[in-house]
Amino acid sequence: MRIPLPEDDDPRRSEGRPSTPDPAALLAWYDRSARRLPWRTPPGAAERPDPYRVWLSEVMLQQTTVEAVRGYFAAFTARWPRVEDLAAAEDAAVMAEWAGLGYYARARNLLACARVVAGAGGRFPEDEAGLARLPGVGPYTAAAVAAIAFDRPATVVDGNVERVMARLFAVETPLPAAKAELRALAATLTPAARPGDYAQAVMDLGATICTPRKPACALCPWSAPCRARARGLVAELPRRAEKAPKPLRRGAVYVGLREDGAILVETRAAAGLLGGMLGLPGGAWTGNGEAAAPPFAAGWRELSAEVRHTFTHFHLALRVSVARVPRTAAPAADWRPWTPELERAMPTVMRKALRLARKDLLPTGPLPR
């Protein structure tokens, strides 16, 4: 269905109107300028993309930058090169490998999805509807995998594509209210030929040319049909509704250092924020600042500095208490050697707390062995 544009009913604007965006022009640009990414098959290559690598990369790239994902993608595919390998992995191993990438529900859904696909013979569904039935696969990921891995004419819309469409069609409705309109406009351009390359081309255009600040309009293959450029609105679009301030939650964590160099850790409950991740003992994060009780009696001492971290929907302030304890303390608790590998297995907010505690408990010298 054609989406009417604001000036379509105004004959006075017919002269000098920007031309219609041509997907072929974008694909020609993509053939010359496609980013070389480890999960991507270059344009013109004879082999089809591996659906497992496409799916894995798309899950990792949600709310995360390409540069942040590169190392994680390499580590995952080296350790678990096939979806069957990932499906057979232990939950704790996958959560530890994911640590630091954020949005940890993605890792839990990743495992659940891998196990469903492995149970179906290791083959991903090839269409959006089938992909959307997999655990943790939403409309964006279903469209991306269908288009990129199976060359289905699916409309893939991420933040980069929204920005390109808002400028290309001069959509002044603020985000997020404009999302449906931008998706409908994007659908009018999705071609039947090479839809996978086209989907990646639009995302590349937004990531490298039609950037949020200082877009390189002179290099854009769609500069001629861009209505925002014609109207001098590029710097203003896409518009965004004012965000409500994020609330502040407070909590506490306890860093116990045993005389043999082990620290006290816990595996968080599977459900909820940071579910299934390795962390430090502490209570719930609330808005009233009520501190959780320590895990056991010891000479706990609260540090003067606190840890600050921001999640999607709130800011967090964590008080950190430390104690040196004898080997006989809490023998049934989970004590593990304090090593760089242990820190890497924890989410970022816990790493921050550990580093703060380390400065107090271990002011000089290497980590205890």
Side-chain angles (χ1 to χ4, degrees):
M1 181 181 70
R2 182 178 178 275
I3 304 299
L5 298 171
E7 69 273 24
D8 283 350
D9 58 356
D10 188 349
R12 294 172 297 176
R13 296 190 178 184
S14 60
E15 293 186 8
R17 179 184 296 173
S19 57
T20 302
D22 183 4
L26 182 66
L27 284 166
W29 169 83
Y30 180 70
D31 289 340
R32 300 188 305 268
S33 308
R35 289 181 292 176
R36 297 296 187 256
L37 301 174
W39 47 82
R40 178 179 285 181
T41 299
E47 70 273 16
R48 295 295 310 151
D50 179 356
Y52 169 62
R53 294 171 71 88
V54 173
W55 162 75
L56 179 61
S57 68
E58 290 298 337
V59 174
M60 287 184 166
L61 285 165
Q62 294 169 21
Q63 307 291 330
T64 314
T65 66
V66 165
E67 291 310 311
V69 165
R70 285 181 186 270
Y72 285 91
F73 182 84
F76 263 75
T77 51
R79 189 168 181 180
W80 302 297
R82 303 176 307 141
V83 68
E84 294 91 343
D85 301 320
L86 181 60
E90 294 184 359
D91 290 33
V94 173
M95 298 303 290
E97 203 70 64
W98 189 276
L101 196 54
Y103 300 91
Y104 296 99
R106 291 181 298 167
R108 298 194 296 272
N109 288 331
L110 195 78
L111 266 173
C113 183
R115 287 164 181 165
V116 169
V117 174
R123 294 178 61 87
F124 283 83
E126 297 188 9
D127 63 324
E128 284 184 84
L131 288 161
R133 287 193 288 269
L134 295 174
V137 175
Y140 165 79
T141 304
V145 176
I148 298 169
F150 300 109
D151 216 30
R152 297 296 182 95
T155 300
V156 183
V157 181
D158 68 353
N160 285 318
V161 178
E162 287 179 341
R163 183 169 58 257
V164 170
M165 294 300 141
R167 289 171 174 170
L168 191 60
F169 294 100
V171 175
E172 298 196 44
T173 305
L175 285 166
K179 282 182 175 290
E181 182 181 0
L182 295 174
R183 179 176 178 80
L185 288 166
T188 66
L189 298 178
T190 301
R194 299 180 62 190
D197 283 345
Y198 172 81
Q200 295 172 102
V202 183
M203 290 189 281
D204 274 15
L205 187 70
T208 64
I209 299 294
C210 194
T211 52
R213 296 178 180 84
K214 298 181 179 180
C217 296
L219 303 177
C220 180
W222 276 345
S223 61
C226 180
R227 298 175 187 273
R229 186 187 65 83
R231 300 178 191 176
L233 295 175
V234 170
E236 301 176 30
L237 299 179
R239 303 190 192 282
R240 296 184 181 275
E242 186 175 345
K243 292 182 179 180
K246 293 181 179 181
L248 174 65
R249 297 185 188 176
R250 296 187 177 276
V253 290
Y254 294 88
V255 181
L257 176 64
R258 208 164 59 179
E259 58 192 3
D260 62 352
I263 64 167
L264 181 66
V265 298
E266 68 174 11
T267 300
R268 296 175 64 86
L273 193 62
L274 308 184
M277 300 293 296
L278 191 67
L280 300 166
W285 302 336
T286 67
N288 58 21
E290 182 179 343
F296 53 81
W300 296 104
R301 176 170 45 85
E302 186 176 314
L303 302 181
S304 57
E306 63 182 11
V307 168
R308 293 275 178 160
H309 191 74
T310 296
F311 291 93
T312 305
H313 301 298
F314 65 93
H315 300 293
L316 175 66
L318 277 184
R319 287 181 281 178
V320 180
S321 294
V322 299
R324 289 179 175 270
V325 297
R327 294 196 63 165
T328 55
D334 191 353
W335 294 89
R336 302 191 190 185
W338 193 341
T339 64
E341 290 73 21
L342 181 69
E343 289 195 21
R344 282 196 291 271
M346 292 186 175
T348 303
V349 64
M350 297 298 174
R351 295 184 199 176
K352 291 180 179 179
L354 272 177
R355 289 165 189 162
L356 184 62
R358 184 182 189 279
K359 293 178 181 177
D360 184 270
L361 292 172
L362 305 168
T364 59
L367 294 170
R369 298 291 181 182

